[in-house]
Structure formats: structure tokens, C-alpha cells
Amino acid sequence: MQTAEDILAEVLVSEAQLRQRVHELGEQITRDYAGQDLLLLCILRGGVMFLTDLMRQIRTPHAIDFMAISSYGVGARASAGNVRVILDINQSIENRHVLVVEDIVDTGHTIHAVLALLAARQPASLKICALLDKSSRREVEVPIHYVGFDIPNKYVFGYGLDVDEYYRNVPYIGVVKPEVYLKPEAE
Ligand code: IMP
Ligand code: MG
């Protein structure tokens, strides 16, 4: 199996840049949600590393929970035209302030579906915090209230984001070499 270094074309966001930006987002969220009943709702699996770092930078009491979403069709890289809930939360969000924590918004289909589902449960407020935003790829308009970095249309990995489920542990955001992306499944 190839190492992260083997598949890396370039580091797009370094560990230091991630640390700094996550700290800034935490500060902003701390101010915005002071005195409110905040629930950070992390979208598995890509949002996990972002969540655990972000929550340590939020200095107002909050709860966390997790949802898992699957894109219908084959291949994690496919556009998520159809979205299915694999794991739902089992607590009420009615009258609570929900902040969805997501790794990346690409076409916007995933977050659009999550928002529709959650809005029906009558939270006090519902906002999105995405570490990465590939805004040039957007197919459905979604409001993103907190964005870490706007990035170009390149396939990235690390800091929770995967290439076929691997390399989520890499501590920076890296761009995948095009030959990895185009390579046949078998090796
Ligand atoms: P969307 O529904 O097209 O916005 O896709 C969002 C989901 O696609 C994210 O939650 C990621 O799991 C995945 N995704 C999109 N772009 C990338 C990428 O560059 N690297 C890794 N995963 C990605
Ligand atoms: Mg993924």
C-alpha cells in the first residue's frame, strides 16, 4: 500500500495553518453561541478530526453528537446526488442551537440533505461549520456560516478526509497526485 507521501502532490494546508484557523473558528463560535444550548453535530467520518480539535477551542459549554451519511452510488468521489442517513442521532434537537461540523462542502448535496432533515426537527437555530469549501464545485446553494478554507477544485486528503477510506490520520491537508486518482482499482 502506498504511503501518504507516495500519493501527495503538495501540501495545501499545513498543520500550523490548520491549528491557527481552527483556533480562530473556535473563538468566533465561542462568542456567537455564548449562553446558548449548543450541540455540535459532526458528520462522520471526515469531520472527526476537525470536531475534536475545534471543540477544544470552543470555550462555551456544548454537547456533541454524530451522524453518518452515505452518498448513493459507487465511489466516495462520486457526486452525492442522492444522500442516505446511515447513522442518525437519537436525541432531540428541538429548541437547541445546532452547528453541523463537516469536513468539506463540495457539490453541496450532502449538506443540503442534512439541513433539510434537521430543519424539520425544529432546532432553535441550524448552522454549518465546514473546514473546507470547494465553492467552485457547488451544484446546490447551501449557506455555510463558518468556513476554514476555500480551496480549489482538487482532490484532497488528510485531517479526516480520505482517499478510499485511508490516510484520514495525516495531520495536514494534501492534494492527491492525479495519477493516484486515475489509477485502476487493482494493483
Ligand atoms: P458533496 O455532497 O458533493 O458536497 O460532498 C461532500 C462529501 O464528499 C464530503 O463530506 C466528503 O466526504 C467528500 N469529498 C468531497 N471532496 C472531497 C475531497 O477532495 N477529498 C475527500 N473527500 C471529499
Ligand atoms: Mg468521504
Side-chain angles (χ1 to χ4, degrees):
M1 178 137 211
Q2 299 181 98
T3 66
E5 291 73 27
D6 291 335
I7 67 159
L8 177 68
E10 58 168 319
V11 175
L12 192 65
V13 188
S14 71
E15 282 187 76
Q17 287 173 309
L18 285 166
R19 205 177 308 119
Q20 173 61 27
R21 189 67 190 120
V22 171
H23 174 73
E24 289 167 6
L25 289 170
E27 292 283 300
Q28 204 181 335
I29 291 164
T30 299
R31 284 194 300 273
D32 294 353
Y33 288 91
Q36 297 183 346
D37 180 15
L38 171 62
L39 174 68
L40 297 180
L41 185 43
C42 176
I43 308 298
L44 295 173
R45 291 178 283 271
V48 142
M49 203 179 284
F50 181 36
L51 172 83
T52 58
D53 280 348
L54 181 66
M55 64 190 287
R56 279 176 281 191
Q57 302 300 321
I58 298 177
R59 289 169 294 103
T60 188
H62 60 273
I64 62 168
D65 211 338
F66 300 89
M67 271 179 102
I69 309 296
S70 153
S71 308
Y72 176 82
V74 185
R77 300 162 189 173
S79 164
N82 223 315
V83 172
R84 199 159 56 96
V85 177
I86 300 296
L87 172 75
D88 202 346
I89 54 173
N90 55 19
Q91 59 179 307
S92 172
I93 59 167
E94 199 176 331
N95 296 324
R96 302 180 72 187
H97 294 275
V98 176
L99 182 59
V100 177
V101 177
E102 173 69 304
D103 54 354
I104 184 167
V105 181
D106 185 22
T107 64
H109 287 292
T110 304
I111 216 67
H112 180 80
V114 169
L115 282 182
L117 184 92
L118 294 175
R121 301 178 188 177
Q122 279 135 29
S125 72
L126 181 57
K127 290 186 175 176
I128 306 294
C129 177
L131 178 69
L132 306 174
D133 184 4
K134 273 189 202 170
S135 53
S136 65
R137 288 256 305 162
R138 203 60 37 81
E139 289 173 12
V140 286
E141 210 177 303
V142 281
I144 312 176
H145 307 86
Y146 303 92
V147 177
F149 301 90
D150 196 83
I151 65 164
N153 180 18
K154 291 179 174 174
Y155 200 84
V156 294
F157 72 101
Y159 201 74
L161 291 104
D162 68 306
V163 181
D164 297 337
E165 292 303 325
Y166 288 88
Y167 313 110
R168 293 188 194 272
N169 59 303
V170 167
Y172 52 79
I173 301 287
V175 176
V176 181
K177 285 178 183 166
E179 56 266 37
V180 174
Y181 196 93
L182 300 169
K183 154 181 84 71
E185 283 294 296
E187 237 185 304

